[in-house]
Amino acid sequence: MRYRIGLIFILATILVDINPAWQSTAQAQENRLPKELFMGTLRAGTGYHGMGMGLAKVMSDALPMQVNVRPYTGPGAWLPLLERGDLELGVLSLNDATWAFEGDPAFVAKPMKNMRLLARGNWLDGVMGIVVRSDSPYHKITDLRGQRITTGFGPIPVIRKLIEAWLDSVGMTVDDVKKVPVSGPTDAAKALQAGRADGAFGGVPYSGYMQALNASVPIRALPYGDASPKDCARIAPDKATKLIPASEVVLFSRRAPILKGPLCSIRHPSSMVAGAGVPAEVTYQVLKGVWQNIDKLKPLHAWLKGWSHEQMFWAKPTVPYHPGAVRFYKEQGVWTAETEKLQQALLRKAK
C-alpha cells in the first residue's frame, strides 16, 4: 500500500513538472515574436492601402503581434526601408516587386536584394491601361499617335509599364505621343478631366477616383491591342510579359462601373513581401494567420475577395521566397521541384 502511494506521488510529480514544460514551449515561441510589425502600402484611398489594412487586421486578430500600416507615395518610397530592415512587410504589385529585385534603374537606385516574397495576392483585372474622354475623337490606341498621354508615375513603375504595354500592343512607344508628366494615378485623372491630356492611365474600373472622374467627365477605355472581344482571344496570353512580369492578356467580361461591355485587357497580381532579415518564425506565423483566416479577409476589401489558398502560392516566382514562406508552403504540400529550382537561382542572384 505504501509502495502504491509512493508511486502515485512520483507520477503526479512528473505530470506536474511536464505540463509547464508543454506550456513553456508555446510561451517561449510566442516570446520570440515581436510585439508589432509595420507594413508599407500606397497612400490612403488606393486599393493597396485598403488591402493592406484588411491584411493587417486579420493578422493582428490572429497573432500575438500588432500589424500597423504605413502609407507611402509608392513602393519606391518604402522599399529602401524594407531593404535596410526598418520595415518588416509590404504590399505591392508582383511586377513592382520583380523590377525592384532586379534593380530596374527607372524604379530603384540599386537592386532590392533583401526583399523576399511571402504570397501572391489577388489578380488586378479589368485594367484600363489608357482611357479617353467619351466626347473625344479617340476610339483606338493608334488614334493617340502624336497626342498628349500621361507619363511619369515615378514611384509607381507598374503604371508607366502598363501604358508602355498598351502602346506596344499596337506597335507604338512613348516616343510616338506627347508626354504629360504626372506623379500618380489621381493626377493623371485630373489631367484628363482638366483637358491637359488626351489619354490617361485608367487603373481599374472599381477605383473611387476613376468613378468620380467618370461621373464628372464620362470616359471610355481603349482595349489592349485595339482588339475587339472576338480578336482578344487570338492574342497570346503571355504577349505582355516582356513588359509586365506575371501578367496575362485576358478578356474582362464582368459587369463593372465605367465599362460599357467586355474589354481586352491585361491582368497582373498583387503580392505581399517581407525583408530578408525578418525572422523565419515571424513570416511563417504571418502566413499561417492569413491562410487559416482567409475567409475573414473577403468582407474587408474588394481586392481581398480574390485572395485564396490557390492564389497565395506562386509556383514560378520571380522574387525569392522568404525561408518562413518556404517552410509554410512545404507544409501545405504545394512546393514543387520546379519552384525549388527557381528559388535557388533567385537566391544566387540575391548574393
Side-chain angles (χ1 to χ4, degrees):
M1 182 68 176
R2 187 177 301 168
Y3 172 77
R4 286 183 180 177
I5 293 173
L7 182 60
I8 291 171
F9 176 78
I10 292 171
L11 289 172
T13 302
I14 291 173
L15 288 173
V16 168
D17 287 340
I18 289 176
N19 191 47
W22 291 339
Q23 293 176 347
S24 64
T25 300
Q27 186 65 45
Q29 184 183 66
E30 184 171 321
N31 289 340
R32 288 199 301 270
L33 299 175
K35 297 299 182 184
E36 59 182 359
L37 300 172
F38 291 92
M39 175 189 291
T41 73
L42 276 176
R43 65 183 62 176
T46 64
Y48 281 103
H49 182 265
M51 181 176 73
M53 291 292 289
L55 286 166
K57 173 176 171 47
V58 167
M59 292 178 202
S60 298
D61 290 347
L63 304 171
M65 298 180 284
Q66 178 68 35
V67 181
N68 304 294
V69 166
R70 284 183 173 173
Y72 296 86
T73 55
W78 60 258
L79 278 170
L81 302 177
L82 188 89
E83 181 74 5
R84 63 174 182 256
D86 293 334
L87 193 69
E88 291 84 14
L89 306 171
V91 288
L92 71 170
S93 79
L94 191 47
N95 323 107
D96 282 346
T98 302
W99 295 320
F101 177 72
E102 293 177 347
D104 185 330
F107 183 21
V108 290
K110 62 179 182 178
M112 298 287 110
K113 294 186 176 182
N114 288 332
M115 180 177 55
R116 296 293 181 267
L117 183 63
L118 294 185
R120 178 178 64 174
N122 58 298
W123 285 108
L124 299 175
D125 52 9
V127 171
M128 303 181 296
I130 298 178
V131 297
V132 297
R133 293 171 62 135
S134 293
D135 59 3
S136 76
Y138 313 117
H139 294 268
K140 298 188 297 182
I141 303 169
T142 50
D143 292 338
L144 290 170
R145 189 181 297 272
Q147 306 305 313
R148 301 166 300 170
I149 304 295
T150 56
T151 57
F153 304 97
I156 318 174
V158 67
I159 296 180
R160 183 174 63 255
K161 297 279 190 177
L162 281 166
I163 290 176
E164 291 175 4
W166 246 253
L167 293 171
D168 178 74
S169 72
V170 294
M172 292 171 60
T173 71
V174 291
D175 292 331
D176 294 313
V177 299
K178 295 176 182 177
K179 305 178 185 67
V180 179
V182 295
S183 61
T186 54
D187 293 332
K190 291 175 182 177
L192 187 65
Q193 181 181 33
R196 291 184 285 107
D198 302 304
F201 176 71
V204 292
Y206 306 101
S207 63
Y209 70 90
M210 288 310 298
Q211 292 187 54
L213 171 64
N214 188 57
S216 172
V217 179
I219 57 175
R220 175 170 58 244
L222 302 183
Y224 179 84
D226 282 343
S228 67
K230 183 178 180 180
D231 291 337
C232 190
R234 301 191 182 104
I235 299 177
D238 62 351
K239 176 177 171 58
T241 54
K242 67 177 182 179
L243 288 172
I244 313 293
S247 67
E248 295 180 355
V249 178
V250 294
L251 181 66
F252 182 76
S253 56
R254 295 202 310 271
R255 293 189 62 181
I258 302 173
L259 299 180
K260 305 299 189 294
L263 177 73
C264 192
S265 180
I266 291 174
R267 69 176 187 174
H268 63 280
S270 64
S271 69
M272 179 168 60
V273 298
V278 178
E281 183 63 29
V282 172
T283 57
Y284 174 86
Q285 293 297 332
V286 162
L287 279 174
K288 185 177 179 181
V290 173
W291 187 278
Q292 292 182 344
N293 296 278
I294 197 78
D295 289 336
K296 294 181 180 179
L297 289 175
K298 301 182 187 303
L300 300 179
H301 191 269
W303 285 17
L304 291 171
K305 290 180 171 65
W307 281 62
S308 66
H309 293 164
E310 295 75 19
Q311 184 70 5
M312 284 177 66
F313 176 69
W314 187 28
K316 299 180 180 181
T318 50
V319 176
Y321 276 104
H322 195 284
V326 174
R327 173 190 163 196
F328 180 80
Y329 290 125
K330 283 184 176 180
E331 288 184 3
Q332 307 313 311
V334 295
W335 193 264
T336 68
E338 180 185 12
T339 306
E340 180 63 27
K341 183 178 179 180
L342 291 170
Q343 172 77 357
Q344 294 306 317
L346 289 166
L347 288 175
R348 287 192 294 272
K349 186 182 290 189
K351 292 181 179 178

